[in-house]
Structure formats: C-alpha cells, structure tokens
Amino acid sequence: MNILSVENLTKSLGLRKLFEGLSFGISKGEKVALIARNGVGKSTLLNILFGNESADSGVFAFAKNSRIAFLNQEPLIPENITLFHAIYAAENPLLKVISDYEEALLDPENYKLLERAMDAMETHAAWDYEQRIRQILTELKLHDLEQNTSTLSGGQRKRLALALALIQEPDFLILDEPTNHLDLQMIEWLEEYLTKSDLTLLMVTHDRYFLDRVCNVILEIDLGVLYRYAGNYQYFTEKKSERLLAQDASIEKAKNLYRKELDWMRRQPQARTTKSKARIDAFYQVEERAKQRQQEKQVKLEVMMSRLGRKILELHHVTKAFPGKKIMNDFSFVFKQRDRIGIVGDNGTGKSTFLKLITGAQKADAGTIDVGLYPRGYDLARR
C-alpha cells in the first residue's frame, strides 16, 4: 500500500519548467532517494510534498493520519529561545509530559512537582521516548540545551533541525541534504538510525556512500522522464548504464531515419496529401528523438564552463567575529585556478560563515575579498 501517491505533478518557475507530469508512489517502509541534475527541481518537489510550495497542476496524497516531518536544506529555526524550548515546543502531548519532567528535575526539592511529573511519565509510558530524545541530541552533539538559538552556527542549526525531525518519530520523513554539517561519526549513526527504523524515507543527497547504505529505491528524473530502480545506488548506476546503452542504440537508429526523412522533407512536393502530412508529423517526432542526447550534452557543457581571467579569489587581511566568538583574524589567502580545497574544523568554528563571506552572503568586519571575472550569465551564488 502506498503511503504517498503522486499523479501528474507539474511545476514551473517563470518560463522554465522544472518538471512535468511526474507520477510515482512510495510504499510504507521504503527508503527512497531522488536523483536528478541540478536545476530540475528536487528541493522544490520536496517542498511541494510538505506543503511549503504549490504545484502548477497535479495531485498528491499521503495515507490517512500519516505523521510527516521535513528537514529543509535551509531550515527555519525559532529565534531567541533556548534549544530546550525549541525541542519541546512541538504540539506533541508526550513532549509536553517530558518537558514538565525535565523542568521538575531542575527543582528537586519540590517533591510534589517532581512526583506529579514522574507519575505523568509513567502514565504516558514516556520513559523510552525521553531516552530516545536524549540519544538523538547526544549523537548530534547538542549538549547545551540552555544555548540560545540565535547564537547557533550554520552547522548547529542544521543539526538541531535534523534532531527536531527525528524526535517527531514521523511515519514519513523527507530529508533535503541531511549529511551537510555532519561529521563522520554523526553520519554513521544516522545511517544506522534510518536503516533500522521502520519509517518511510524520501531524501535528496549528494553523499553517494550515505545514499548507497540507506536507500533501497532510487527515483531518477532524466530529461523530464521519471525512472524507478528497486535497489541501492550501486544497483542504480549499473541499471542506468544499461538503460543509456539501449537508449543510445535507439537514438542512433533515429538519427539514421532522421537523415533519410530530412532528405525527403527537402524534396517533397508542394501538394500536401493526408499521407504526406502524417509523414511530416512523424518526421518531427523522429527529429526530437534523434537530438535528445545532444541537448543533454549541451547542458553539461554549460555547467563545465571555465572561468575567464587568471584571478580567481583573493582574501586580504580579512577579519570576522561575532559577540564572544572570533571566526578569523587578519586572514589572507589566494585561490588559484583549478585548486581543490577542503575546509575542515570543529562544529561551530565558522566554516559556513567563511563560505558566506567568499560568496558575499555576509560581509567581513575588515579586509577585502576580491573576486575574479566570470563568464556572462554565471551566477556567483551557485559556486
């Protein structure tokens, strides 16, 4: 039985069509990964399914009474509250019981309050749930529950949002890039958590190893067509290769037929019979088929476009700090063409802030960041 059914879903942004006529179903307990080239609308589709955006046409439905949780790529975290209140603010009776118990522990001399809280925990069988919450927070290294959400780093915000999604114990979990801002230990724990859980999962991720270990179904959107593979990522790559080989053979046949029909189109008489009109219509279908893979290669070439000029990115005496925390001080560095640079550091040390500085999303307190020239039409925010 499908826990999610999608029929003929279509979405456009302005004149650009992201996807059209998508139809698929996800059964209870399946762990599904959504794969497609950048710009096809993977994150948009996830937002539509959770209700954050609307589709242009088509319908979808979850099984009745399904609990759904969503980890957005850019999660919205309530500001100016403690982690404790962010975690226990959800509309869940069990969380309210646990919240009362946790607060009673802060005043152990108030025996009556503590006794009522413990009785409520017993009545609602909340002890196991409370233990699972503690485990999730510990594994995601969210130790200081009195920390204000406004002081969280980018990585901490993403991990808090992931914790909030898991704590809800949903029937259907939607994850958009869940391993971003997680260290190796956290990723391994999340792999095991999702694999052992009986929840249904739909996610987008660029972490192929994570995808390979967690997912048992792959949905791929390729040139507007949805393909389903019942297996992990390794199985997907094998079957996709077979599909592309068969597709290339079919396209080659279409090319040969296209050349023959093109010659006929150029020589055809002015008179249009019913038979010739049908052949003309068939010609345009063959032409579309023959040029299909050529169009895909053109898209790939645009993505691989090289940068103009020698200057790539230069940082000169850059300083950035937040109240009580210095991210960098008098930092200088020159990025050279074709460099492959990784940024490492403990959570909360400012890795995401550094990326925001060099992309212009945040301003440095001092120093200069000099960006080289880009090809016309290149979007700096996509680096």
Side-chain angles (χ1 to χ4, degrees):
M1 183 184 71
N2 284 345
I3 191 171
L4 170 65
S5 298
V6 177
E7 295 184 12
N8 296 318
L9 216 58
T10 298
K11 179 67 175 181
S12 299
L13 289 180
L15 298 177
R16 183 165 65 97
K17 185 158 288 185
L18 295 179
F19 47 81
E20 181 178 16
L22 289 187
S23 297
F24 61 91
I26 297 178
S27 299
K28 182 176 175 59
E30 285 185 329
K31 307 292 191 296
V32 182
L34 179 64
I35 293 178
R37 291 177 296 142
N38 290 333
V40 173
K42 301 185 294 295
S43 294
T44 300
L45 176 59
L46 299 188
N47 275 285
I48 289 173
L49 295 178
F50 191 65
N52 290 342
E53 294 188 37
S54 59
D56 297 336
S57 62
V59 295
F60 66 91
F62 288 93
K64 189 176 180 180
N65 298 325
S66 296
R67 299 189 309 274
I68 305 163
F70 179 36
L71 173 69
N72 205 329
Q73 197 169 141
E74 296 293 337
L76 295 176
I77 302 295
E79 299 292 342
N80 294 316
I81 62 173
T82 65
L83 268 65
F84 179 88
H85 287 100
I87 292 165
Y88 292 105
E91 295 181 4
N92 183 323
L94 275 180
L95 287 179
K96 180 64 169 64
V97 170
I98 297 172
S99 174
D100 291 342
Y101 169 70
E102 295 286 350
E103 290 184 345
L105 290 177
L106 300 177
D107 187 13
E109 295 184 1
N110 190 337
Y111 299 111
K112 290 184 178 181
L113 179 64
L114 183 58
E115 184 178 2
R116 285 198 301 269
M118 293 179 68
D119 288 343
M121 290 284 290
E122 195 71 38
T123 301
H124 292 83
W127 295 109
D128 289 342
Y129 188 31
E130 187 259 353
Q131 191 60 37
R132 288 195 295 273
I133 292 176
R134 285 181 178 272
Q135 180 195 16
I136 291 171
L137 298 177
T138 299
E139 295 292 349
L140 295 176
K141 298 181 180 178
L142 297 169
H143 303 298
D144 184 8
L145 298 189
E146 294 304 312
Q147 183 177 359
N148 193 292
T149 55
S150 300
T151 67
L152 296 175
S153 68
Q156 289 172 321
R157 298 176 76 86
K158 187 65 176 281
R159 286 186 282 120
L160 175 58
L162 175 59
L164 294 175
L166 298 179
I167 286 170
Q168 295 180 48
E169 296 193 333
D171 302 306
F172 195 102
L173 179 61
I174 303 173
L175 300 177
D176 196 353
E177 298 294 352
T179 60
N180 286 3
H181 304 293
L182 301 186
D183 60 27
L184 180 59
Q185 183 179 353
M186 295 178 193
I187 292 174
E188 290 176 346
W189 169 80
L190 184 59
E191 286 175 359
E192 184 177 6
Y193 183 94
L194 294 175
T195 302
K196 291 183 176 180
S197 173
D198 60 356
L199 60 76
T200 306
L201 173 68
L202 173 62
M203 75 171 179
V204 170
T205 179
H206 287 93
D207 187 334
R208 295 182 177 183
Y209 297 101
F210 181 81
L211 186 158
D212 194 48
R213 294 179 181 122
V214 173
C215 294
N216 53 26
V217 175
I218 307 293
L219 295 179
E220 182 197 19
I221 304 174
D222 185 23
L223 295 177
V225 180
L226 183 75
Y227 299 92
R228 180 185 175 94
Y229 303 85
N232 61 8
Y233 185 78
Q234 183 177 352
Y235 177 83
F236 156 73
T237 56
E238 294 171 359
K239 292 303 178 182
K240 180 176 181 177
S241 296
E242 294 175 6
R243 175 174 67 80
L244 291 180
L245 286 174
Q247 191 176 60
D248 287 343
S250 175
I251 291 174
E252 191 60 35
K253 290 181 181 179
K255 286 181 178 179
N256 293 333
L257 180 59
Y258 171 69
R259 286 190 287 266
K260 176 183 175 182
E261 293 300 288
L262 180 62
D263 181 62
W264 177 83
M265 287 284 287
R266 289 169 175 168
R267 293 185 292 102
Q268 67 170 310
Q270 293 296 322
R272 294 284 203 269
T273 65
T274 301
K275 185 175 181 179
S276 67
K277 288 180 180 179
R279 188 170 179 179
I280 291 171
D281 292 339
F283 166 79
Y284 289 115
Q285 294 177 4
V286 171
E287 181 182 39
E288 182 179 358
R289 178 67 176 164
K291 294 182 178 181
Q292 180 176 343
R293 192 56 58 184
Q294 177 183 344
Q295 292 170 355
E296 180 177 319
K297 291 179 181 178
Q298 288 174 347
V299 172
K300 290 182 179 178
L301 286 174
E302 291 174 3
V303 173
M304 297 171 62
M305 185 183 293
S306 297
R307 191 172 189 154
L308 297 178
R310 294 184 178 180
K311 180 183 291 185
I312 305 300
L313 180 68
E314 298 181 0
L315 287 81
H316 301 284
H317 308 289
V318 175
T319 296
K320 181 64 178 180
F322 295 105
K325 178 181 292 186
K326 183 168 288 187
I327 303 300
M328 61 181 63
N329 183 35
D330 196 31
F331 177 75
S332 298
F333 191 83
V334 176
F335 289 83
K336 298 178 181 178
Q337 193 170 21
R338 303 192 188 282
D339 275 350
R340 300 290 185 270
I341 298 174
I343 304 174
V344 298
D346 293 337
N347 291 314
T349 55
K351 300 185 295 296
S352 296
T353 299
F354 177 70
L355 296 180
K356 290 177 181 178
L357 288 172
I358 64 178
T359 56
Q362 286 189 7
K363 291 185 178 181
D365 298 334
T368 59
I369 300 176
D370 195 3
V371 181
L373 296 176
Y374 290 84
R376 181 177 297 176
Y378 189 91
D379 184 358
L380 179 61
R382 291 173 55 195
R383 282 188 299 158

